[in-house]
Structures are given as structure tokens and as C-alpha cells.
Amino acid sequence: MAPAPFLYISGYPGVGKLTVANELSKLLPNAKVLDNHTIINPAATLWEEHMPEYDSLCDHIRQGLLNSIATSPSLNDVTLVFTDVQPDNDWGITIVNEYLQAAETRDCLFISIILECTAEENCHRMMTDGRGKHKLRDQNELLHLRECQPLHRFGIDEELVLNTTDLPAYHAARKIVEFMRRVVPKEDTELVFGDLV
């Protein structure tokens, strides 16, 4: 039996990645959510985004975290749910490849989920009160990102693109679980899903 999978949830800021990830963690019996802001927030507390020190600290935190997870047998039965947003450019590809490499080192399945919604709904969601301190709230910047920086897609069989415009987070999580049931090897289903119906 392989270790539990990596579930990599991607989408533009405000699309609902963390909300859906938290709903997934309620459905999967042994899942832990690692939001991209776990990595970003320490750096954002000290420096402005994309200052050399900011990027360096984010890289060190992410690489150290992924290395620890990939080489820790005590986490083999834990489904790791990551949230992230990376553009389909050299910089973004370098970062997503770190997640792929960690999954390879761990010898586990890597599942990609891309959350989408309309620009109007995305702008509405990013202005909700529950968004964290260091999260993007500038609608013009969001619209620029959506127009000029397409998200990285892995192009693998274990990838689901899910439009959540009219889909509550709980239902999105259920659809992701349905997809996972199709791609997780049969011998690993009890480890990943437990008694989940």
C-alpha cells in the first residue's frame, strides 16, 4: 500500500481553495490542510511581496515543509491537501515541480484540482469578510491576474477542473471525493476514504 496522496488544489485568489479544502478535510478521515498562506504569511509579515527576502523565505519554508512531509513515515497515512496558485510560467512551473518531486519522494499519488469560477463571482468572493490579513483584496489586480497569468495545469489523468461558480463548497468537496474515488488505486481506498460513503 502506498502512502496517502497529495491533493493539490489550485485556483485564482478568492476562488475558494481554502474553504473547499476545509470541507474536504471533514469528509476524508485522515486529511490535513496546508494552505499556501501557511508559507506566505511569515514572509508577508516582514517584507513586501516579491522582494528578494520575501521570495527567499517563502522558498525556504515551502522546500523545508515539503521535504519534511515527503520523508516522514509518520505522515504516510495522512492525505495532504495543499492549496496554491501558480501561473503557467517558468517561475510557477519550478514551484509546482517541487510538489511533484515531494510526491515522488514520498511515493504517493499526486492529484491536481483546479477550481474555477466566473470573474464576477471571483471578485465577489474575494471581498468576503472571512479572508485573511495577507490575502489579495484588490479586484483590479485579480482581474489582471485572470487575464494575463493563466494557471498552471499539469495535464495528467489525475487532474480535475471544477467550476464552482454556482457550487457551494461542501458540494465541490463531494465532487472532488467522487473524482478521487476514480483515481485512487483500489488497494488504497480504505486508507484514503475510511468508511466514507
Side-chain angles (χ1 to χ4, degrees):
M1 179 168 32
F6 276 12
L7 187 61
Y8 183 88
I9 301 177
S10 179
Y12 287 110
V15 76
K17 299 180 295 290
L18 181 57
T19 304
V20 171
N22 285 333
E23 289 296 332
L24 265 171
S25 73
K26 295 174 190 174
L27 294 173
L28 300 173
N30 200 14
K32 293 191 184 297
V33 175
L34 292 160
D35 178 38
N36 58 314
H37 288 274
T38 303
I39 294 167
I40 295 169
N41 286 351
T45 299
L46 300 169
W47 295 288
E48 294 296 317
E49 187 174 357
H50 299 301
M51 289 181 68
E53 298 91 346
Y54 173 96
D55 289 335
S56 177
L57 183 56
C58 286
D59 289 346
H60 280 90
I61 293 170
R62 183 183 58 256
Q63 291 161 2
L65 187 63
L66 289 172
N67 182 60
S68 294
I69 290 167
T71 58
S72 174
S74 66
L75 292 174
N76 280 354
D77 63 343
V78 177
T79 298
L80 280 303
V81 182
F82 300 95
T83 69
D84 201 8
V85 52
Q86 294 302 332
D88 194 26
N89 59 27
D90 290 344
W91 178 68
I93 292 168
T94 297
I95 292 172
V96 297
N97 281 338
E98 292 174 6
Y99 288 89
L100 283 171
Q101 180 60 53
E104 187 176 308
T105 299
R106 178 175 154 110
D107 195 26
C108 71
L109 181 65
F110 182 91
I111 302 170
S112 168
I113 307 295
I114 299 171
L115 300 182
E116 297 181 331
C117 68
T118 63
E120 181 181 2
E121 178 64 16
N122 202 168
C123 286
H124 171 73
R125 289 179 187 178
M126 75 176 297
M127 297 310 291
T128 59
D129 290 336
R131 286 184 60 78
K133 177 180 177 185
H134 297 292
K135 292 190 174 194
L136 180 66
R137 287 186 165 284
D138 184 325
Q139 291 183 0
N140 290 327
E141 188 174 344
L142 171 66
L143 294 172
H144 176 76
L145 286 173
R146 289 178 59 104
E147 183 178 324
C148 299
Q149 291 190 355
L151 295 175
H152 178 75
R153 294 182 184 223
F154 293 91
I156 57 177
D157 291 339
E158 299 81 13
E159 183 165 68
L160 172 68
V161 178
L162 183 61
N163 189 311
T164 64
T165 301
D166 299 312
L167 198 60
Y170 173 78
H171 294 297
R174 294 292 299 186
K175 287 189 175 290
I176 292 168
V177 168
E178 290 170 16
F179 176 74
M180 291 175 68
R181 285 191 182 281
R182 294 195 298 270
V183 299
V184 170
K186 189 171 182 80
E187 62 270 18
D188 297 334
T189 55
E190 186 176 342
L191 171 68
V192 177
F193 304 110
D195 297 329
L196 179 65
V197 178

